[in-house]
Amino acid sequence: MKLFDLRGGVHPEGKKDLSADRPIRALPLPKRLYISLQQHIGAPASPVVSVGERVLKGQLIAAAQGAVSAPIHAPTSGIIAALGDHVAPHPSGLQVPAITLESDGEDKWIATQAVDDPFALTPEDIAARVGAAGIVGLGGATFPAALKLNLSRNSGVQTLIMNGGECEPYLTCDDHIMRERAGEIIEGIRLIAYAVSAKEVLVGIEDNKPEAIAAMQAAAKESAVKIVVMPSMYPMGSEKQIIQVLTGKEIPAGGRPADIGVLVHNVATAFAVQQAIRYGKPLISRIATVSGGAIKQPCNLEVLVGTPVEELIAYTGGYTQPAARLVLGGPMMGQQFTHTDVPVVKGTSGVLALTSKEIGQAEPSPCIRCSTCVRACPVGLLPLEMASRIRASDLASAVAFGLKDCIACGSCSYVCPANIPLVHYFNYAKGDLAAQERAKLKQEATKKLADARNERMARIERERAEAMAKRKAAKEARERAAAAAKAATEVV
Amino acid sequence: MNRITHSPHAHASVSIGTVMGTVLLALTPATLFGFWLYGWPAVNLWAVSLIAAIVGEAFVVRLQDRAVRPVLMDGSGILTAWLLAISLPPFAPWWIAVLGSLFAVVIGKQVFGGLGQNVFNPAMAARVMLLISFPLEMTTWVAPAPLGSAQAPSWMESLRITFLSQPIDGMASASLLGHVKTEFTRGVGLDQALVGYYEPMDMLWGSRAGSLGETAAVLLLIGGLFLIVRRIITWHAPFAMLLGVVVPALLFNAIDGNHYAGPMYHLLSGGLMLGAFFIVTDPVTSPNTALGQFIFGFGCGVLTWIIRTWGGYPEGVAFAVMIMNTVAPIIDQYVKPRIYGRDRKGVALPVKKEA
Amino acid sequence: MFTAVISLTILGSAMGLFLGYSARRLEVEGNPLVAEIQAILPGSQCGQCGFPGCAGAAQALADRNAPITLCPPGGRAVVQALSLKLGIEANLSDVKDSVPMIAEVKEEICIGCTRCFKVCPTDAIMGAAQQIHSVFREACTACGKCEEVCPTESIKLQPIPVTLQSWHWHKPLAQGATA
């Protein structure tokens, strides 16, 4: 199959060998789980259990709220210990509402509904079951999968692309799920393709995962699913880029893949879909890679959602040396975290403990305009120009240079010889612009309120004045009448 | 509290110091060849340039109350001085080197705001300044006298040449470009002017009168290719500059071969090779995009040819580069990469339906 | 010479007449800029700028008698909008990057006097006499009027708590700043 070129891109050191030959192991049942209510893009789920309630594994504990949301299920059986805030897997280290579950050690499943012939279900039914199972994009974007299915079916998607790129260094979780569960993944892929009636199904896998490619090819033999080997390059696994490489098409700016007849899902999502449809199991666990130079035994673990990260690190034998930085996700786009009791969420693909040598970050120096960042940018932006505008607080100019098209992949920062934190500048600018936008909306709303109040005050004043005038007129009329009467009596 | 750091949490093993260091390494063969060809005076001149640049930059950075060490360690000042030194006549007096280096580093770079802020290539700005201020010293060339040969000045003599401006007996020569220009003014055509002066093989290896490190075309080419292989520079600007010289040279040589020299003559003479691989590839003063760099390089090439052919000075690389430096921001304004999902004008691509 | 004097006189009077006519015909009533500036300002008439309400402030801004950083409730967004409108360079570092504030009622000491309720320019306070008042966050502009009239100091301006939705990355430190 003919592949198209990726614009720009970088070749970060893979580091996948640290955990590449470690089969997936299940993490022992943790004592306490902190299940965040915000594990997806959209509105947080709202709890449907109360403190002290006993729940079974797979039982719904928080329901989806609004159009864009996903439900959350109990990862194991136990007792709800608390409904409150817990530290979020987010660089801010802020608290988010979470459900604390005390495991009872029995890990007892709720009754599930298995389906013998999933292809007898209607596409709508598949989407509904995927939605009810709380499945979100496991590649990291955590967009509710059912919404994507419905949107794609309604807009007539032709091509289904399954993303097995895993271009982030260190991470091997998708590699291993493809090696070890290829049969289930292929069935999941066929279910998704059936649900959106896609005509073409492509699975893109980077050529640095030969075992996964072989396993997937063997599993896909009898089906219409086509395994495509892609060159290893970052950010191959980004949605926009994998579409470009496999189809040569580009998503129009501000659009969605469905606009060009494409749907992209991660391979791990396909596995979750298969489990949900065939066995009725909701999404309560995921595969995550624990790796990094400071980790004693890097490995791939199947972990329950809500497991504190420190349990993962402890299970792998702890640190060989103090970690210079702890990261959730891959090193290119992952987020630093400081509290090791942050829970694993549905989108957690990896936990990295990096040494300062691996990070290789130095003090930033002045930009020499070498335009290495321009060559590295997969979108075709001018990172150096945008950063210099943002540094001078000229955000409008940065937007004119295409700030909003930035996918924050980090390629520019990675290659910058001056160590300028380019993506940091861009994300600061995006955040600041969003805050300004919010402030503007609020101001418009409060202005309307103020105007309404002023009008009301004026009306009240007017009415009062009118009432006064009326009273005065009445009084005068009375006086006149009295005077007239008096005059009349005097005359008489 | 240590601040949370933004992704990426990995970094390519490059720094400005390694970039500059690689360029210096690429310059070394041609420079060593120049040392051998012109002997000790060349070494003196090179050393004086570097010392002046380092001391001058340190002083100016101190005046600005900035940390001196990181500025000196990035190697940009040394590179500038090095480039300037190898574009000087090898027997030039010491004060030419000092003046040039200080001008390059202080006026050419720090006054604009330091590394990355200057509009003009500092080395070329200094060379132009020297050329129009001290035309005699800047055009006094010498015939090659390789180290170890009989004519080569001894070390003591070299000190007198560099530091006391002692006149050079019987070694004065002319550069090819200068010679041809002089002959033209006497009404002598190329067919006679080139006799005994133009030996393409000598030009290639660099055994001729010229600037300290500009003569060895082959060694500069090798250095440039090394930089391309190491991904420090791209081929666009150098190739375009050579093309910009070759195209008009071919054209006019075909029209009047006796008055317009051919492409080989232009490619191998003067500072073209140095300019193409080490000057127009200066990141700070050249455009950002590949196409922009191509346009920039081509402009430098054409202007070089025009100045050499019709201008008042025999060599035009420095002037051409400075003129194009002023155009670089305009090129950047108009030549931008197409953004993903948008057309060239920045309008979002249309939503196509293939139902 | 005579012709020159005549022609210049005619030319001069024609132009004078034309100018006089245009001045009357094309007269602009009032300064439209004032209305445009007023549209940018929050419109809560809080008076923190020292001018009588937002209309007064708009007039002062149009006359260039006030800095564009005059409006505390408007924050940086308003400063930037004004800077665009008036073509004045905005020195955002001058705007005390006042953390966005919001009024909050300390319920233990609120006596339900309704005074704050009456002065609030955006109807952001809910409640009735003898009942604890509460602030409608989306409508509060942090003008501070309620704080002034509260007899028990139960209503106070507080920084808006940062949430995951409102948090964003800080600006990177300038290079060399940490050295």
Side-chain angles (χ1 to χ4, degrees):
Chain A
M1 188 183 147
K2 184 185 178 296
L3 290 182
F4 297 84
D5 274 343
L6 176 76
R7 295 173 68 181
V10 294
H11 291 283
E13 205 181 333
K15 301 270 191 182
K16 300 209 185 233
D17 51 327
L18 290 176
S19 56
D21 49 0
R22 303 266 170 181
I24 301 169
R25 280 180 295 171
L27 186 76
L29 205 56
K31 273 221 143 50
R32 252 170 192 269
L33 295 163
Y34 303 95
I35 306 135
S36 165
L37 294 176
Q38 179 82 72
Q39 304 193 35
H40 47 263
I41 304 261
S46 71
V48 293
V49 288
S50 45
V51 176
E53 196 174 322
R54 177 168 290 277
V55 294
L56 291 173
K57 183 171 185 160
Q59 183 181 335
L60 181 76
I61 52 173
Q65 222 189 154
V68 183
S69 186
I72 291 163
H73 303 79
T76 184
S77 57
I79 292 165
I80 304 293
L83 296 174
D85 287 350
H86 191 74
V87 62
H90 189 267
S92 65
L94 288 168
Q95 308 260 317
V96 277
I99 298 176
T100 308
L101 176 63
E102 197 102 38
S103 120
D104 59 10
E106 287 171 25
D107 210 23
K108 192 162 176 262
W109 268 97
I110 197 168
T112 51
Q113 189 193 0
V115 175
D116 290 331
D117 182 11
F119 292 94
L121 298 170
T122 62
E124 289 81 2
D125 201 7
I126 291 182
R129 282 166 192 251
V130 166
I135 296 177
V136 299
L138 295 179
T142 65
F143 190 81
L147 282 176
K148 257 163 92 170
L149 291 181
N150 285 330
L151 186 83
S152 305
R153 191 177 64 244
N154 297 338
S155 57
V157 155
Q158 306 281 312
T159 310
L160 169 65
I161 291 178
M162 294 308 295
N163 190 346
E166 200 168 53
C167 54
E168 278 268 13
Y170 295 91
L171 301 187
T172 53
C173 51
D174 287 353
D175 182 10
H176 268 274
I177 201 169
M178 286 190 287
R179 284 192 208 185
E180 300 176 32
R181 298 174 187 178
E184 291 92 328
I185 293 175
I186 294 293
E187 188 177 70
I189 293 173
R190 286 173 54 223
L191 282 168
I192 297 174
Y194 168 67
V196 299
S197 44
K199 307 219 166 22
E200 185 187 20
V201 184
L202 305 173
V203 184
I205 307 176
E206 280 192 356
D207 60 10
N208 58 3
K209 295 183 253 302
E211 289 96 338
I213 293 168
M216 289 290 281
Q217 268 166 346
K221 223 172 228 160
E222 312 280 274
S223 69
V225 178
K226 207 149 111 193
I227 311 295
V228 186
V229 181
M230 312 184 293
S232 301
M233 189 171 218
Y234 182 85
M236 189 64 82
S238 157
E239 183 171 80
K240 288 179 172 178
Q241 275 58 44
I242 197 170
I243 291 177
Q244 188 174 32
V245 168
L246 294 183
T247 69
K249 294 183 198 165
E250 291 182 12
I251 306 173
R256 306 162 188 272
D259 292 340
I260 50 169
V262 178
L263 169 66
V264 183
H265 267 299
N266 183 273
V267 285
T269 314
F271 177 77
V273 167
Q274 192 260 356
Q275 296 289 305
I277 304 294
R278 193 170 269 282
Y279 306 113
K281 287 184 180 170
L283 178 62
I284 51 168
S285 69
R286 68 157 296 143
I287 319 291
T289 301
V290 184
S291 187
I295 292 285
K296 203 172 255 170
Q297 273 192 330
C299 59
N300 301 295
L301 297 176
E302 175 148 27
V303 286
L304 297 177
V305 163
T307 310
V309 161
E310 56 199 352
E311 302 239 1
L312 277 69
I313 295 171
Y315 179 71
T316 59
Y319 304 113
T320 52
Q321 54 174 296
R325 202 177 291 173
L326 297 169
V327 175
L328 284 176
M332 295 298 284
M333 287 185 78
Q335 308 272 28
Q336 187 187 356
F337 68 98
T338 44
H339 307 274
T340 51
D341 57 346
V342 293
V344 167
V345 289
K346 291 173 181 174
T348 307
S349 51
V351 177
L352 305 181
L354 303 173
T355 62
S356 57
K357 193 162 158 262
E358 288 174 292
I359 300 164
Q361 197 162 32
E363 274 297 305
S365 43
C367 171
I368 56 166
R369 304 175 51 81
C370 63
S371 63
T372 315
C373 52
V374 179
R375 272 173 271 153
C377 181
V379 180
L381 299 172
L382 296 166
L384 77 170
E385 300 285 2
M386 299 197 312
S388 71
R389 300 308 188 282
I390 295 166
R391 202 163 68 112
S393 294
D394 184 3
L395 302 190
S397 290
V399 171
F401 269 105
L403 174 69
K404 301 226 164 132
D405 290 297
C406 169
I407 58 169
C409 68
S411 298
C412 50
S413 302
Y414 175 79
V415 296
C416 180
N419 280 292
I420 298 170
L422 292 156
V423 195
H424 186 170
Y425 273 108
F426 306 151
N427 274 350
Y428 150 71
K430 287 176 191 170
D432 202 55
L433 286 169
Q436 282 179 25
E437 191 59 31
R438 277 197 300 273
K440 211 173 120 199
L441 285 177
K442 179 174 176 182
Q443 201 204 315
E444 275 163 19
T446 52
K447 194 168 170 142
K448 268 193 205 127
L449 286 171
D451 288 346
R453 181 186 153 95
N454 290 341
E455 207 173 292
R456 195 181 68 228
M457 288 308 195
R459 199 185 63 230
I460 290 173
E461 195 59 39
R462 206 171 52 238
E463 283 169 2
R464 187 180 294 159
E466 276 167 16
M468 278 270 267
K470 230 183 245 164
R471 267 206 306 279
K472 204 172 160 195
K475 192 177 164 197
E476 275 172 9
R478 256 199 327 274
E479 276 170 5
R480 257 203 314 278
K486 201 172 167 192
T489 48
E490 267 169 26
V491 170
V492 172
Chain B
M1 182 193 121
N2 58 343
R3 294 194 94 148
I4 295 283
T5 319
H6 198 286
S7 59
H9 308 288
H11 198 273
S13 55
V14 286
S15 70
I16 291 180
T18 58
V19 171
M20 298 290 172
T22 315
V23 179
L24 292 179
L25 193 64
L27 273 176
T28 306
T31 312
L32 289 179
F33 179 79
F35 290 167
W36 172 76
L37 193 65
Y38 300 112
W40 288 110
V43 181
N44 295 341
L45 201 64
W46 174 84
V48 169
S49 296
L50 259 59
I51 292 168
I54 293 169
V55 173
E57 183 154 52
F59 179 70
V60 173
V61 172
R62 268 302 278 283
L63 281 185
Q64 300 170 43
D65 270 341
R66 285 161 57 203
V68 175
R69 225 181 112 80
V71 175
L72 291 185
M73 288 309 283
D74 68 30
S76 65
I78 293 172
L79 177 58
T80 299
W82 192 313
L83 284 169
L84 175 71
I86 63 175
S87 72
L88 294 177
F91 282 23
W94 65 275
W95 52 267
I96 283 277
V98 169
L99 218 56
S101 277
L102 290 180
F103 185 86
V105 172
V106 178
I107 310 279
K109 190 172 78 175
Q110 290 296 345
V111 163
F112 283 90
L115 181 62
Q117 305 292 322
N118 46 300
V119 177
F120 298 105
N121 184 307
M124 290 300 105
R127 186 175 176 178
V128 165
M129 182 279 286
L130 291 173
L131 196 59
I132 55 182
S133 310
F134 311 103
L136 181 66
E137 285 81 359
M138 287 298 286
T139 51
T140 305
W141 310 102
V142 292
L147 275 182
S149 69
Q151 318 91 298
S154 71
W155 193 67
M156 284 311 288
E157 278 170 343
S158 83
L159 292 182
R160 280 201 290 276
I161 290 171
T162 308
F163 294 100
L164 301 173
S165 310
Q166 198 188 55
I168 320 143
D169 306 320
M171 290 188 70
S173 177
S175 69
L176 177 64
L177 289 169
H179 168 71
V180 169
K181 192 126 250 176
T182 323
E183 293 294 288
F184 277 164
T185 56
R186 299 195 308 151
V188 180
L190 272 178
D191 47 354
Q192 289 169 44
L194 290 182
V195 172
Y197 257 94
Y198 178 55
E199 300 289 341
M201 281 320 281
D202 280 358
M203 302 283 289
L204 198 59
W205 294 114
S207 256
R208 58 178 165 108
S211 298
L212 201 165
E214 283 183 352
T215 57
V218 158
L219 294 178
L220 290 169
L221 185 68
I222 291 172
L225 293 177
F226 169 72
L227 290 184
I228 292 176
V229 169
R230 295 296 300 272
R231 293 169 183 271
I232 302 290
I233 62 173
T234 59
W235 58 270
H236 305 86
F239 176 74
M241 181 166 188
L242 300 181
L243 198 69
V245 170
V246 166
V247 168
L250 260 179
L251 207 70
F252 280 81
N253 186 244
I255 295 168
D256 182 358
N258 197 29
H259 196 255
Y260 299 103
M264 246 358 226
Y265 162 92
H266 276 293
L267 281 183
L268 297 178
S269 56
L272 186 63
M273 281 293 166
L274 182 76
F277 288 100
F278 294 93
I279 303 295
V280 298
T281 53
D282 169 31
V284 178
T285 56
S286 62
N288 292 328
T289 57
L291 179 62
Q293 285 163 3
F294 192 92
I295 297 169
F296 177 79
F298 193 79
C300 286
V302 171
L303 285 173
T304 300
W305 182 84
I306 289 176
I307 295 168
R308 281 181 179 182
T309 309
W310 295 309
Y313 285 93
E315 173 58 312
V317 170
F319 293 102
V321 169
M322 282 191 75
I323 292 169
M324 288 308 288
N325 283 160
T326 62
V327 184
I330 302 172
I331 297 177
D332 269 340
Q333 174 70 32
Y334 288 103
V335 181
K336 286 181 190 160
R338 185 183 66 81
I339 297 175
Y340 180 104
R342 296 181 184 275
D343 64 12
R344 284 236 156 258
K345 285 181 190 138
V347 182
L349 292 178
V351 176
K352 297 179 279 225
K353 278 276 163 67
E354 308 170 23
Chain C
M1 188 223 155
F2 193 61
T3 13
V5 170
I6 295 280
S7 57
L8 274 179
T9 312
I10 292 173
L11 201 65
S13 17
M15 282 182 169
L17 282 172
F18 177 70
L19 276 177
Y21 173 73
S22 340
R24 275 170 190 260
R25 183 66 218 255
L26 304 170
E27 192 184 342
V28 180
E29 277 188 44
N31 191 349
L33 190 60
V34 176
E36 285 168 31
I37 294 172
Q38 212 183 327
I40 293 172
L41 295 173
S44 52
Q45 326 290 356
C46 68
Q48 284 181 77
C49 53
F51 292 99
C54 294
Q59 185 63 52
L61 280 165
D63 299 342
R64 302 290 201 270
N65 281 338
I68 56 174
T69 52
L70 85 175
C71 181
R76 288 172 55 172
V78 161
V79 176
Q80 269 166 349
L82 286 174
S83 130
L84 270 176
K85 172 64 67 193
L86 298 171
I88 299 172
E89 194 75 12
N91 188 355
L92 283 177
S93 57
D94 254 12
V95 193
K96 191 162 47 112
D97 201 11
S98 52
V99 217
M101 304 282 267
I102 205 145
E104 231 168 23
V105 179
K106 238 189 235 155
E107 298 186 350
E108 314 88 79
I109 47 177
C110 173
I111 52 169
C113 69
T114 76
R115 283 191 209 184
C116 55
F117 175 89
K118 281 177 189 152
V119 295
C120 178
T122 55
D123 290 337
I125 303 173
M126 294 174 285
Q130 307 305 313
Q131 285 185 354
I132 291 168
H133 303 333
S134 64
V135 178
F136 183 44
R137 276 194 175 172
E138 290 305 305
C140 174
T141 59
C143 69
K145 280 192 173 173
C146 47
E147 200 176 13
E148 284 166 22
V149 296
C150 180
T152 60
E153 291 186 0
S154 95
I155 196 159
K156 275 240 155 68
L157 290 187
Q158 304 283 349
I160 300 180
V162 182
T163 64
L164 279 192
Q165 282 72 35
S166 67
W167 183 89
H168 68 78
W169 283 96
H170 59 89
K171 189 172 178 177
L173 294 170
Q175 57 97 7
T178 49

